[in-house]
Amino acid sequence: MKKLVVVFICLLQLQCGSKVVRKMNGVSFVATRDKAVQENVDLLKELHVSHAAVMPFGFIRQLDSPEIIFNTDRQWFGETRQGVMQYIELLHQNRIKVMVKPQIWIWKGEFTGNMKMANEEDWRVLEDSYEKFILTYASVAEENKAEIFCIGTELEQFVQHRPGYWKQLIEKIRNVYKGKLTYAANWDEYSRVPFWSSLDYIGVDAYFPLSDKKTPGTDELREGWQPWKKALQELSNLHKKQVIFTEFGYRSMDYTAHKPWLVDRTEEGVNLLAQVNAKTAIFEEFWREDWFAGGFIWKWFPNNETAGGSNDNRFTPQNKPAEEVIRSYYKAF
């Protein structure tokens, strides 16, 4: 409670002082089996969300498999072309802007950044397959007037091995989609992405390590941000483009800021305060910066009643104290 009081005081001072610059106060809106309904979006409005990432998925069997399977009857509704269109329409009806963010899932949850082909022939097959995948959803984004389109998520090896392909792909996307473009680089990849100058925003999935303590305090976490923040600002200045956190968040678990990119295989104890502190540190460090455009919380489930809660150690802030921290900052910015 004391932590939240401090947050509210800081926000009050901000609102009474310098001019507030509006940010992309976003969530990663998780796809489900069903259509999104108004009740799902009402919760976003109560959170003062201004943007939502809609995430269609393509599937690959292995790290060296070149074929992407997408938009099939076997997928959940929200992961398909039809589902993306329905989600965008409902969000826009509620004046929530949309980033369409197609993503790849590799069997058993292998990290997409390690996806690499064994030979030239497979690289070419992958390039053709990825182009069909990404242009399908670029067309959907244009048809439905989505405000931002993300051309890829955490594909380091693909980007590093085929830079010419990506520059050509961006041109093809621009011919289809007329809105703003970004790419979601992993936290340890963004500095090596060769095509930031061709995009509108520098996108970063911001799972930066900040502390090895079980429950780090906000001041310590803010200090941990300093070298990362400096490098991000320098990159922003170099390319004269704002940075977006295409994903950001920390799990509600012990040692949450030590290796924050870890997912379900990590079963540390539930630690709600650690998540509150980590969220507060991000907002305090970035939401006042002109070179920073905002970000998308990882992640938000449409079915709020069954999401998160006090016994959950995953990323979602739903039904946890961190949700109130987000609501406060999103309201202020």
Side-chain angles (χ1 to χ4, degrees):
M1 179 61 69
K2 182 178 180 181
K3 177 69 66 177
L4 291 179
V5 170
V6 172
V7 169
F8 284 126
I9 291 173
C10 290
L11 292 173
L12 183 62
Q13 291 172 338
L14 175 67
Q15 290 174 313
C16 294
S18 59
K19 180 181 178 182
V20 175
V21 178
R22 304 308 301 180
K23 299 296 185 184
M24 295 183 195
N25 293 325
V27 296
S28 300
F29 195 58
V30 179
T32 69
R33 299 176 186 272
D34 306 309
K35 292 183 177 181
V37 296
Q38 184 60 41
E39 182 182 356
N40 305 144
V41 183
D42 286 341
L43 294 167
L44 300 184
K45 294 165 69 176
E46 291 173 9
L47 196 68
H48 304 288
V49 165
S50 65
H51 290 69
V54 175
M55 300 170 291
F57 269 83
F59 297 89
I60 287 181
R61 291 188 176 88
Q62 300 179 91
L63 287 169
D64 60 353
S65 298
E67 292 281 358
I68 302 171
I69 301 166
F70 68 97
N71 194 38
T72 71
D73 293 339
R74 299 178 63 184
Q75 291 181 244
W76 285 9
F77 176 77
E79 296 175 346
T80 66
R81 187 180 189 279
Q82 183 182 4
V84 169
M85 294 175 69
Q86 192 267 327
Y87 281 23
I88 295 173
E89 181 180 9
L90 181 60
L91 290 163
H92 276 173
Q93 287 173 0
N94 287 272
R95 299 184 179 180
I96 295 175
K97 297 179 180 180
V98 174
M99 176 172 71
V100 177
K101 186 170 177 273
Q103 298 190 203
I104 290 175
W105 176 263
I106 303 174
W107 192 52
K108 294 185 178 180
E110 294 279 4
F111 176 47
T112 52
N114 294 330
M115 185 176 67
K116 184 169 63 174
M117 299 301 104
N119 53 59
E120 179 66 19
E121 181 181 356
D122 283 352
W123 274 118
R124 292 189 179 277
V125 173
L126 175 63
E127 288 173 349
D128 289 343
S129 187
Y130 191 82
E131 181 177 316
K132 292 174 184 175
F133 171 60
I134 212 69
L135 290 183
T136 292
Y137 289 107
S139 297
V140 170
E142 176 63 22
E143 181 180 346
N144 294 272
K145 303 304 178 188
E147 287 76 9
I148 309 171
F149 185 74
C150 184
I151 70 170
T153 298
E154 298 178 4
L155 297 170
E156 181 176 10
Q157 291 300 313
F158 192 178
V159 169
Q160 294 301 315
H161 281 80
R162 314 297 283 189
Y165 164 79
W166 283 89
K167 291 183 179 180
Q168 186 179 54
L169 179 65
I170 291 167
E171 293 178 3
K172 291 181 179 179
I173 294 170
R174 292 259 187 220
N175 288 333
V176 171
Y177 173 73
K178 306 307 179 185
K180 302 295 187 181
L181 296 183
T182 191
Y183 167 75
N186 198 34
W187 71 274
D188 60 352
E189 171 198 1
Y190 74 91
S191 63
R192 297 185 296 279
V193 173
F195 46 71
W196 289 131
S197 60
S198 299
L199 303 180
D200 299 291
Y201 295 104
I202 296 169
V204 182
D205 287 355
Y207 304 113
F208 293 90
L210 306 176
S211 170
D212 60 2
K213 288 187 178 180
K214 185 176 181 179
T215 309
T218 302
D219 289 344
E220 179 184 348
L221 291 164
R222 292 185 67 178
E223 182 64 28
W225 269 114
Q226 296 314 303
W228 306 118
K229 182 179 178 181
K230 182 176 184 290
L232 288 166
Q233 185 172 6
E234 288 174 351
L235 188 66
S236 174
N237 292 339
L238 175 65
H239 293 286
K240 295 180 173 56
K241 299 179 190 296
Q242 287 182 300
V243 172
I244 303 174
F245 283 170
T246 37
E247 296 176 18
F248 76 96
Y250 287 82
R251 290 177 61 171
S252 50
M253 71 177 193
D254 295 336
Y255 308 102
T256 187
H258 180 47
K259 294 182 178 180
W261 56 88
L262 295 177
V263 289
D264 292 351
R265 286 170 285 184
T266 298
E267 297 297 340
E268 296 286 358
V270 174
N271 191 326
L272 302 176
L273 178 59
Q275 187 180 47
V276 165
N277 293 347
K279 284 283 194 296
T280 302
I282 290 176
F283 288 124
E284 285 295 298
E285 283 300 321
F286 290 95
W287 255 250
R288 292 177 175 83
E289 300 291 349
D290 292 339
W291 55 269
F292 181 76
F296 296 79
I297 299 265
W298 187 263
K299 49 192 175 175
W300 189 272
F301 295 92
N303 300 321
N304 189 62
E305 290 184 2
T306 59
S310 59
N311 295 319
D312 176 78
N313 77 347
R314 310 303 191 205
F315 276 99
T316 181
Q318 287 167 269
N319 300 306
K320 302 175 186 178
E323 182 179 335
E324 190 56 41
V325 174
I326 296 164
R327 181 175 288 105
S328 300
Y329 280 93
Y330 276 11
K331 183 178 181 180
F333 288 90

